[in-house]
Amino acid sequence: MCIRDSNQAEEKVVGEQEIATQKIEKGFKTFLNKKDKPEQFSFINDNDFNWIKEYYGITEDFDKNLLMQPKGTDRKVLLISPAIQQMIRADTKNLINKINVGSKAFAKNKEKFADNSCALRICQDSIMTIINYITKRKVYCTVQDLQSFIYSHNIKHEEIENPALQEEVREQGQGSFILCVVKEKGENMQQQKIMDCIVCQGFKTSVCIMCSKEDLHSFRIRYGDSA
């Protein structure tokens, strides 16, 4: 009786393992056949890169091949490191779910300005990685100046307390620009090390902060009145 019971128990375990294996295989096949298959990528097209290079003043030493776009869409441009690109190329059977690859560097601007001046806005996600390759659309400020911006997603020009900064922001006109935070105010602000950056969108009478609520909260913790 004991031997028979032992054999039955062993057969039961083996049967349960086979059923579990079949479920895993079935689930994996379902994943491969899903309609929402992982995105495929291609290097940024020349038209978009040339526009970005001209509008933001991208320097010649920036590696264009770091910028990739999901195939079939021009809505976003991703910054993807060579190591991750190698992984993407090695995945010839599309087994890796590549939904969140790289960081967003540029995105198609939803705002339709009258002169269509800003086709692709710069994104907060990658700004600290590429800021040193950007020579245009940069406005420098101190931590004290930054406090005018970080307590609202939208600020009117006249609410910017520093008159010189207010005028420089107005001069950017409509479109995307970067607020670069440095330590000291003065004529040499552009030569100082950039402590942080916040991406903005300029309008005729106001500025919109183009970062997430979480990023904005982080700026308040680090640079707010009580910091």
Side-chain angles (χ1 to χ4, degrees):
M1 292 292 294
C2 293
I3 295 175
R4 185 182 300 173
D5 291 344
S6 176
N7 290 339
Q8 290 176 347
E10 185 176 346
E11 290 174 357
K12 183 179 179 181
V13 171
V14 172
E16 290 174 348
Q17 289 176 342
E18 290 178 350
I19 293 173
T21 301
Q22 290 172 1
K23 287 182 178 180
I24 293 172
E25 291 176 348
K26 183 179 179 180
F28 187 66
K29 289 178 180 178
T30 301
F31 167 76
L32 292 179
N33 293 325
K34 284 195 307 182
K35 292 182 179 179
D36 55 334
K37 287 188 176 181
E39 292 178 319
Q40 297 304 299
F41 301 88
S42 59
F43 291 113
I44 186 172
N45 65 69
D46 289 338
N47 289 339
D48 283 347
F49 181 73
N50 290 336
W51 185 91
I52 289 170
K53 186 176 180 181
E54 173 60 27
Y55 189 77
Y56 295 104
I58 304 298
T59 58
E60 293 295 335
D61 58 337
F62 178 77
D63 186 358
K64 171 187 174 183
N65 290 330
L66 294 175
L67 299 178
M68 303 190 78
Q69 294 170 302
K71 287 185 178 179
T73 178
D74 59 354
R75 290 179 300 172
K76 60 184 177 180
V77 179
L78 301 173
L79 183 72
I80 303 179
S81 69
I84 299 299
Q85 288 185 24
Q86 185 177 4
M87 181 195 73
I88 292 172
R89 288 192 294 270
D91 182 32
T92 57
K93 295 184 178 181
N94 296 332
L95 299 181
I96 300 174
N97 192 342
K98 298 184 281 290
I99 299 301
N100 294 310
V101 174
S103 60
K104 191 184 292 186
F106 302 92
K108 193 169 185 179
N109 206 335
K110 296 180 180 179
E111 300 294 337
K112 301 297 182 182
F113 297 117
D115 57 358
N116 196 30
S117 58
C118 186
L120 289 162
R121 63 177 178 83
I122 201 161
C123 298
Q124 186 71 33
D125 294 359
S126 299
I127 187 59
M128 291 305 294
T129 304
I130 63 178
I131 187 61
N132 290 330
Y133 299 99
I134 295 174
T135 62
K136 297 180 182 179
R137 311 292 297 175
K138 294 164 75 172
V139 176
Y140 290 81
C141 73
T142 63
V143 171
Q144 184 177 359
D145 295 329
L146 183 67
Q147 292 174 1
S148 296
F149 294 84
I150 59 177
Y151 289 100
S152 174
H153 260 103
N154 194 280
I155 178 173
K156 294 186 179 299
H157 289 158
E158 57 267 24
E159 294 174 342
I160 301 173
E161 296 180 1
N162 183 335
L165 178 60
Q166 181 183 138
E167 182 60 27
E168 193 170 356
V169 168
R170 289 180 187 271
E171 290 176 356
Q172 297 302 311
Q174 297 183 111
S176 183
F177 69 92
I178 307 106
L179 200 61
C180 303
V181 185
V182 295
K183 187 175 182 180
E184 298 177 355
K185 186 180 297 185
E187 296 181 356
N188 67 334
M189 293 178 76
Q190 296 185 11
Q191 281 72 51
Q192 294 182 44
K193 181 180 179 181
I194 295 174
M195 298 166 53
D196 221 326
C197 292
I198 188 166
V199 172
C200 305
Q201 180 107 287
F203 294 91
K204 288 183 178 180
T205 61
S206 64
V207 175
C208 184
I209 307 303
M210 302 298 291
C211 66
S212 66
K213 292 180 180 179
E214 292 78 12
D215 284 333
L216 198 55
H217 183 64
S218 174
F219 278 109
R220 291 169 185 167
I221 292 174
R222 288 178 287 150
Y223 304 117
D225 294 330
S226 59

